Amino acid sequence: DQQVKQNSPSLSVQEGRISILNCDYTNSMFDYFLWYKKYPAEGPTFLISISSIKDKNEDGRFTVFLNKSAKHLSLHIVPSQPGDSAVYFCAAISMDSNYQLIWGAGTKLIIKP
Amino acid sequence: NAGVTQTPKFRVLKTGQSMTLLCAQDMNHEYMYWYRQDPGMGLRLIHYSVGEGTTAKGEVPDGYNVSRLKKQNFLLGLESAAPSQTSVYFCAIRTGTDTQYFGPGTRLTVL
C-alpha cells in the first residue's frame, strides 16, 4: 500500500516557465511533507518542507502547496532553470514513527533550453 | 555531502558472500537511517537507530543486520548476499524535526 504517490514518472518544461510537481498521500496522520532533489550518483538533498498545519511555504523560486482535504501537495518552481533538471521526491513524516520518511517514487524533471 | 560518508562507494558481490557497509557522521546527531533505492521506486527504509547502542527495523529489514556501537558510525551488514539486494544504499542522519541529510550512496551489485 503506497502511502505517498507521485503519479508522473517524468515532466518536461521549457526553461523560464513554471514547473509543477504533484504528490498525493493517503495517511492523514503525517506531520510534515518534504521535497528532495536528487542528481545521478548523488544522495538526495533537502529542498523544502511544509508542516501539516500550513497550506503554503515559499523559499526563493520554490513554493510548496498543501491541500489537506484532497491529501495533495505540489511543488512549484518558478522560473525553471537548467540546473533544476533532476529527480524530485516527495516524502512524508509521522512523528509517531520516529521520524521515518515515507517516500514517493519520484518524478524526473527535464528543463529544456 | 560533507558530514556523512559512506564506505565503499561501489561493490560487486557473488551470491552468498557477506559484506558490511559503513556510514560515518561528524555532526553528532542521534538518529541515523539506512535506505535502499531501486529503479522506479522511492527510497525504502531498511533499519534505523535513535542513538548509540539502539537499532530498529524499518520497512524492508529482511536479509540485513545493523549495529550502532559508536554514535558516529552506523553499520549495515549483509550476511548472505542475494541478487535481490542489488541496489543503491543511502545512509542519512536526522538534522531537524523534518529533515534528513544523506550520504553519497553505495552502489551494490550481487551476481
Side-chain angles (χ1 to χ4, degrees):
Chain A
D1 178 30
Q2 263 192 300
Q3 298 188 62
V4 178
K5 299 179 185 178
Q6 293 177 259
N7 292 320
S8 299
S10 65
L11 174 68
S12 186
V13 174
Q14 203 73 35
E15 181 180 355
R17 306 293 287 266
I18 183 172
S19 295
I20 301 176
L21 295 97
N22 294 303
C23 179
D24 298 296
Y25 62 95
T26 57
N27 186 348
S28 58
M29 300 303 291
F30 286 135
D31 297 291
Y32 289 92
F33 302 90
L34 302 86
W35 286 94
Y36 278 80
K37 178 179 180 179
K38 187 181 180 305
Y39 293 118
E42 294 184 9
T45 55
F46 172 74
L47 193 58
I48 191 169
S49 66
I50 187 167
S51 164
S52 61
I53 62 173
K54 296 190 174 182
D55 55 19
K56 178 182 175 182
N57 189 26
E58 196 170 351
D59 184 2
R61 296 187 297 115
F62 303 93
T63 303
V64 56
F65 296 93
L66 176 62
N67 182 336
K68 288 188 71 175
S69 60
K71 292 192 176 66
H72 177 84
L73 64 153
S74 61
L75 174 69
H76 293 212
I77 306 174
V78 182
S80 300
Q81 298 174 353
D84 296 330
S85 294
V87 177
Y88 289 78
F89 289 97
C90 171
I93 284 181
S94 169
M95 289 194 285
D96 287 343
S97 64
N98 279 318
Y99 302 90
Q100 293 182 44
L101 278 171
I102 308 298
W103 296 74
T107 297
K108 184 175 183 178
L109 177 64
I110 300 165
I111 304 301
K112 299 179 293 185
Chain B
N1 293 334
V4 178
T5 57
Q6 291 186 232
T7 309
K9 288 187 169 52
F10 303 94
R11 185 73 185 269
V12 178
L13 290 178
K14 294 182 179 178
T15 296
Q17 288 185 316
S18 64
M19 78 164 293
T20 300
L21 284 69
L22 170 63
C23 175
Q25 59 147 328
D26 60 6
M27 298 188 214
N28 205 37
H29 289 281
E30 295 290 341
Y31 286 61
M32 298 185 75
Y33 305 82
W34 274 109
Y35 293 90
R36 60 178 287 173
Q37 188 200 6
D38 300 298
M41 301 181 72
L43 280 71
R44 291 182 294 168
L45 183 64
I46 305 171
H47 286 279
Y48 65 100
S49 169
V50 301
E52 181 178 317
T54 74
T55 63
K57 293 180 180 179
E59 180 186 356
V60 289
D62 294 342
Y64 305 95
N65 56 75
V66 286
S67 64
R68 184 97 180 269
L69 299 179
K70 292 183 179 180
K71 188 176 185 179
Q72 286 72 28
N73 298 335
F74 194 28
L75 280 67
L76 178 71
L78 287 74
E79 290 186 349
S80 179
S84 61
Q85 294 177 304
T86 293
S87 188
V88 181
Y89 292 85
F90 290 103
C91 174
I93 57 175
R94 181 181 154 222
T95 55
T97 301
D98 59 348
T99 52
Q100 293 181 14
Y101 183 88
F102 285 79
T106 295
R107 185 174 294 275
L108 175 66
T109 302
V110 183
L111 302 175

